[in-house]
Amino acid sequence: MSILSGKFAVITGAASKNGLGKATARLFAEHGATVAILDLDQTAADEAARDLGEQHVGLACNVTDRDACHTAIHTLIERWGQIDILVNNAGITQPVRLLDIEPENYDAVLDVNLRGTLYMSQAVIPHMQTRKSGSIVNISSVSAQRGGGVFGGPHYSAAKAGVLGLTKATARDFAPDNIRANAVCPGFIATDITAGKMTEEMNAKVMAGIPMGRAGKAEEVAGCCLFLASELSSYVTGSEVDVNGGSLIH
Ligand code: NAD
C-alpha cells in the first residue's frame, strides 16, 4: 500500500510549475494522496491539479484573506469529508535591504508568508481536532536560521523565522489532539521565486556557502514534506528540518 493512500492533502501556492508546492503535490499524488492545489489564480490551480490526475482539485485561494481560507477548507471538507495534511507553502520574497524596506514591502512579505500560514492553519485545525488526526508542514527557509544570505531581505528572514515560532506553538498546542506541526527549511532551491533575479555575483556567493556545491531540487524538498506529512514521522512534531546541502554546518 502507498504511504499516503486514503489521505487528503491541501497544499498552498502549488500552481507554480517549477515550484516546491507543485513538486510536493506530485510526490504526494504518486504516493496515493488526493491533493488540492490552492493558489492565487483559478486557471493555474486547475491546470496544476489536472496535471496530477482527474481526482485532484484546483482552487483559487489568496492565503492572506481569512474568509477565502475558510471557504476553501469548507469546500474541500464538503467534497472529501476529511483533510489529513496541510502544507503551508505559499510564499513570496524580495531582495530589499533593511534600510530600504517600505511599509508595503513589509506588509506583502509578512502577509503571505506568516499571516497566510496562520490563516490556513486556523481554517483547518478545528476539523483536524474533531478527527484527532492531522499533519501540518510549514515551509520556512534557511534565511530564518541564518538571517538571510540567500536572496530575500530581512523582512523575509523575519517572516520565515515567525513561521518557525508559529510551527512550534502549533505543535505544542495541538499535540493533545494528535495534530503534528513541523517546519521545513529549504536552502537555495532553483525555482521561479528567484529565476532570472540572481546576479552572477549573488549566485557565486550563495554557492560558496553550500558544502554540497549545488542548488537543491524542488523534489528534494518534496521528499522531506512527504516524510513529515506521513505516518513515517508519527512521533515528530515541532521540528525544523533542514534541506540545504549542508549550508548550516559550522
Ligand atoms: P514559487 O514562486 O515557484 O511558488 C510560490 C507560489 O505561491 C506561486 O505559485 C504563487 O502564485 C503562490 N502565492 C503567492 N502569493 C500567494 C497568496 N497570497 N496566496 C496563495 N498563493 C500565493 O516559489 P517556490 O520557490 O516554490 O517557493 C515555495 C515556498 O518555499 C515559499 O514559501 C518560499 O518562501 C519557500 N522557500 C523557497 C526557497 C527557494 O530557494 N526556492 C528557499 C526557501 C524557502
Side-chain angles (χ1 to χ4, degrees), residues 40-74:
L40 292 172
D41 179 66
Q42 180 68 56
T43 310
D46 276 340
E47 265 173 33
R50 253 200 319 274
D51 227 28
L52 302 180
E54 64 180 27
Q55 72 273 36
H56 307 287
V57 182
L59 277 182
C61 177
N62 182 338
V63 297
T64 69
D65 176 342
R66 188 148 76 151
D67 289 343
C69 295
H70 281 271
T71 303
I73 293 300
H74 180 74

Side-chain angles (χ1 to χ4, degrees), residues 60-212:
C61 177
N62 182 338
V63 297
T64 69
D65 176 342
R66 188 148 76 151
D67 289 343
C69 295
H70 281 271
T71 303
I73 293 300
H74 180 74
T75 303
L76 291 168
I77 293 170
E78 291 268 290
R79 182 170 175 152
W80 291 339
Q82 72 190 75
I83 294 173
D84 304 280
I85 298 157
L86 168 65
V87 181
N88 281 307
N89 166 77
I92 59 169
T93 187
Q94 301 168 343
V96 183
R97 287 168 181 269
L98 190 137
L99 295 180
D100 300 326
I101 295 170
E102 297 291 341
E104 55 270 26
N105 298 124
Y106 181 92
D107 287 347
V109 168
L110 270 288
D111 276 359
V112 180
N113 291 289
L114 185 54
R115 188 189 293 272
T117 299
L118 172 67
Y119 284 173
M120 282 303 299
S121 301
Q122 286 178 323
V124 84
I125 285 172
H127 166 75
M128 289 178 167
Q129 280 182 299
T130 62
R131 301 187 66 237
K132 290 277 177 279
S133 171
S135 176
I136 298 175
V137 181
N138 294 330
I139 306 300
S140 177
S141 171
V142 70
S143 291
Q145 302 160 306
R146 297 184 59 203
V150 183
F151 179 80
H155 54 335
Y156 179 73
S157 297
K160 291 302 196 185
V163 168
L164 292 181
L166 183 61
T167 305
K168 288 165 203 267
T170 305
R172 186 184 296 280
D173 284 357
F174 299 103
D177 294 310
N178 194 34
I179 299 168
R180 297 182 296 109
N182 292 286
V184 175
C185 297
F188 179 55
I189 317 292
T191 71
D192 294 343
I193 208 165
T194 49
K197 299 172 201 154
M198 302 270 288
T199 62
E200 250 175 59
E201 194 190 349
M202 281 161 94
N203 200 55
K205 209 168 150 196
V206 170
M207 287 306 153
I210 305 174
M212 286 184 76

